[in-house]
Amino acid sequence: MMITTQYLNLDLTYQGLSRDELQQFAKQRLPRDFAEQRSQLLNGTYENPSEGRQVTHVLNRSRHSVVAANGGRNRFSEIVRTLRSGKWLGATGQVITDVINVGVGGSDLGPLLGSEALSEFADDNTAHKLKVHFASSMDGTQLYTLLPQLNPASTLVIMASKSFSTIDTIANIRTLKAWAAPELSEQQWLDKHVVGVSSNIEGMTNFGIPPAQQLSFAESVGGRYSLWSAIGLPIALTVGANQFARMLDGAKAMDAHFGEADVLENIPMLMALTGVYNREQRGINNVAVLPYDGRLQKLPDYLQQLDMESNGKQQDRAGNPIDTPTGPIIWGGFGPNGQHAFYQHLHQGYDNFAADFVLVLKRAATKFDAATQAQLAEQQTLSVANCLAHRRLMWFGDGKTYPGQHPSNLLFVDELTPQSFGALIAAYEHKVFTQGVIWNINSFDQPGVELGKKIANEVLDVIKTGTGSSDFDESTQAILKRL
Ligand code: F6P
């Protein structure tokens, strides 16, 4: 069974479910008012009850909200144009050559995935090559590598944080500020070397970011759904505002498909239904995401947040316990390399899993000479052949020592483009939404991560003050003592 749309295709033959079975299951599991809930999502009126706001990331797919001129001016596009053309000068007159996006979770994963996926679609050949880097982790790991290579006078920092209060991001920013201090005064650094992206405008202002360097987005856009908003700035800096807009167009096309296609022709709904079927009827608690194009290597990481932070919950929208299993564990890795690592277990181990193979059929290599192009085209074909082969083996087995019967989706595009990438990500968003509706989950909050943050602060206090460690268990106390 195969569904084709303008930019994205789904083959779900290896889910092993007939049209009739899918139709039946859809009837059983989709609530009667699904169409109404779906149109609320698509027009930005769906409720996020625990946070008391509506869910509006789909509205960011409109070019006007992000990149189009607004009364002759659009700060997002202006910032992109100035930086990409080499016209942004730092406080000491040096051209900005490097940008570091400092953010974590939704303020990192989408921008990082999009920048890696689309970098070869950069829409200009200006002599100025802006390099975009990412720093996310609270331990400063990326900064250890980046700082020795960069010069504060030619580096701009994007402080990307929806809340503007995430400690991981603040810690990286503090380090960057200290690193810049010998070269730039605090005011110089703020005036020419920092752009803020947040829904907390007051936070950006209090931090000292000049208004012209503040990009905001609505609080009703969830962090893990925010790459379409100003949070996507690193993508636009990598490829240009026009290509960024094409990514929005691809997502928009998927919105239209999700909103209009019948259930048995609807890619996100079928992804959702087969996923629920695997979870509930086949007892499968995990999905391996296996991209076969290196540009999509970060897709499993991105989908982990999208899916697991949205639907990894045991309470329904009203706070009542749910008695069926909900969102599965999402994991995975780059397929061709995974074949030489974890696929052995997938083929012959004892554990059940479902898989999403993500495939790009053709890849243009226009920047190379003819002979190299031909070789690279063959490599893409090699990757396609391997994807199809492993997918077959996982489903059919060999009748002997390979059990098979591991259901999978094949999501494929003819070519990876900004549009097909946008459509792919939007399809996953809508799959997660549909599953949330089926399980009656609020997919748009994340209360579970808050307790971890609270406990981390308690531990930090004890480390800093040197008192109160006796409240902790023996193991924690021993580590603190050693520290
Ligand atoms: O880990 C929780 C979380 O709130 C994510 O939902 C979010 O994407 C991430 O932290 C970063 O948050 P912020 O963009 O507010 O810094």
Side-chain angles (χ1 to χ4, degrees):
M1 192 171 159
M2 177 150 13
I3 316 297
T4 54
T5 66
Q6 190 178 5
Y7 298 120
L8 181 70
N9 312 294
L10 168 67
D11 186 323
L12 64 161
T13 313
Y14 296 175
Q15 291 289 349
L17 293 167
S18 68
R19 288 180 74 85
D20 280 354
E21 284 168 321
L22 281 165
Q23 185 83 62
Q24 268 308 105
F25 191 64
K27 245 199 206 143
Q28 264 174 38
R29 296 304 272 116
L30 283 174
R32 285 220 180 101
D33 66 346
F34 178 77
E36 195 187 321
Q37 297 198 44
R38 176 178 57 185
S39 57
Q40 286 169 359
L41 175 84
L42 294 175
N43 61 38
T45 58
Y46 189 77
E47 285 296 325
N48 166 353
S50 63
E51 294 180 348
R53 50 174 91 119
Q54 294 175 325
V55 173
T56 66
H57 59 273
V58 172
L59 305 185
N60 280 134
R61 261 63 119 163
S62 149
R63 284 178 178 230
H64 291 283
S65 70
V66 191
V67 292
N70 179 356
R73 289 199 60 186
N74 177 296
R75 229 182 257 167
F76 182 90
S77 300
E78 266 178 34
I79 289 175
V80 171
R81 207 169 333 125
T82 316
L83 278 166
R84 294 190 85 239
S85 62
K87 292 197 176 119
W88 190 303
L89 304 184
T92 59
Q94 291 201 34
V95 175
I96 296 297
T97 55
D98 293 85
V99 172
I100 309 177
N101 186 74
V102 183
V104 70
S107 300
D108 169 62
L109 293 165
L112 178 57
L113 169 67
S115 303
E116 282 193 9
L118 302 180
S119 68
E120 68 200 47
F121 296 94
D123 68 356
D124 62 15
N125 292 310
T126 50
H128 180 65
K129 271 269 167 264
L130 187 71
K131 292 192 239 45
V132 182
H133 314 274
F134 293 84
S136 58
S137 80
M138 63 170 70
D139 71 338
T141 276
Q142 293 105 338
L143 298 183
Y144 280 87
T145 318
L146 279 174
L147 298 189
Q149 301 166 16
L150 304 182
N151 173 356
S154 57
T155 300
L156 180 135
V157 173
I158 302 173
M159 190 167 172
S161 173
K162 179 180 169 182
S163 59
F164 220 72
S165 64
T166 303
I167 189 62
D168 318 51
T169 300
I170 291 171
N172 276 321
I173 289 286
R174 283 187 192 140
T175 301
L176 282 161
K177 197 172 171 183
W179 169 71
E183 309 257 347
L184 306 166
S185 71
E186 184 175 350
Q187 202 53 50
Q188 284 181 315
W189 183 67
L190 285 165
D191 283 351
K192 299 284 179 190
H193 296 265
V194 181
V195 166
V197 185
S198 182
S199 40
N200 179 354
I201 296 174
E202 201 186 336
M204 290 194 279
T205 305
N206 291 343
F207 190 79
I209 300 176
Q213 285 155 223
Q214 296 180 7
L215 293 172
S216 63
F217 61 103
E219 255 195 293
S220 46
V221 173
R224 54 193 173 274
Y225 298 87
S226 65
L227 86 161
W228 324 100
S229 74
I231 285 288
L233 181 63
I235 305 176
L237 289 176
T238 305
V239 296
N242 289 333
Q243 297 290 46
F244 184 81
R246 292 195 177 106
M247 179 186 87
L248 301 182
D249 290 342
K252 216 173 171 173
M254 182 50 64
D255 295 340
H257 166 77
F258 177 55
E260 290 157 15
D262 288 344
V263 56
L264 292 193
E265 305 298 326
N266 194 309
I267 290 181
M269 289 179 75
L270 288 166
M271 288 166 76
L273 285 163
T274 51
V276 174
Y277 188 91
N278 289 334
R279 191 83 174 100
E280 295 180 354
Q281 307 294 319
R282 291 171 168 153
I284 297 175
N285 73 349
N286 73 99
V287 179
V289 177
L290 305 170
Y292 267 75
D293 186 301
R295 292 168 292 181
L296 297 172
Q297 271 191 57
K298 298 275 162 39
L299 187 64
D301 299 18
Y302 175 80
L303 293 179
Q304 273 185 332
Q305 189 198 11
L306 179 68
D307 201 319
M308 294 171 81
E309 204 168 52
S310 297
N311 288 345
K313 293 170 187 165
Q314 299 188 3
Q315 290 190 326
D316 70 12
R317 284 169 67 82
N320 303 314
I322 302 177
D323 58 6
T324 55
T326 54
I329 292 166
I330 306 290
W331 66 287
F334 183 34
N337 292 3
Q339 288 178 194
H340 301 280
F342 56 86
Y343 274 38
Q344 167 59 35
H345 186 110
L346 297 187
H347 287 308
Q348 291 191 302
Y350 278 111
D351 297 297
N352 275 342
F353 63 92
D356 277 1
F357 289 90
V358 182
L359 187 59
V360 176
L361 295 184
K362 283 171 270 165
R363 179 170 180 180
T366 47
K367 287 179 189 139
F368 301 94
D369 62 59
T372 313
Q373 266 186 43
Q375 283 303 327
L376 285 169
E378 247 183 66
Q379 287 197 257
Q380 196 74 5
T381 309
L382 189 63
S383 181
V384 172
N386 272 268
C387 174
L388 297 179
H390 283 273
R391 169 179 171 258
R392 278 172 55 82
L393 188 55
M394 282 179 200
W395 181 237
F396 294 113
D398 72 342
K400 292 182 292 242
T401 53
Y402 293 78
Q405 296 302 303
H406 301 296
S408 64
N409 287 320
L410 177 68
L411 283 148
F412 67 100
V413 297
D414 292 326
E415 287 188 62
L416 187 68
T417 61
Q419 289 93 330
S420 60
F421 173 77
L424 174 72
I425 301 303
Y428 270 107
E429 284 184 355
H430 295 326
K431 168 211 151 178
V432 168
F433 169 78
T434 304
Q435 293 190 335
V437 170
I438 290 174
W439 288 315
N440 194 24
I441 286 174
N442 178 10
S443 304
F444 301 99
D445 63 2
Q446 53 288 323
V449 293
E450 298 307 326
L451 185 58
K453 282 188 198 169
K454 189 171 159 272
I455 299 172
N457 282 333
E458 287 165 16
V459 177
L460 197 60
D461 270 354
V462 168
I463 294 173
K464 283 191 170 161
T465 59
T467 55
S469 68
S470 54
D471 293 349
F472 296 130
D473 59 282
E474 248 175 59
S475 164
T476 307
Q477 281 188 46
I479 308 285
L480 292 183
K481 200 165 163 207
R482 184 150 178 173
L483 180 74

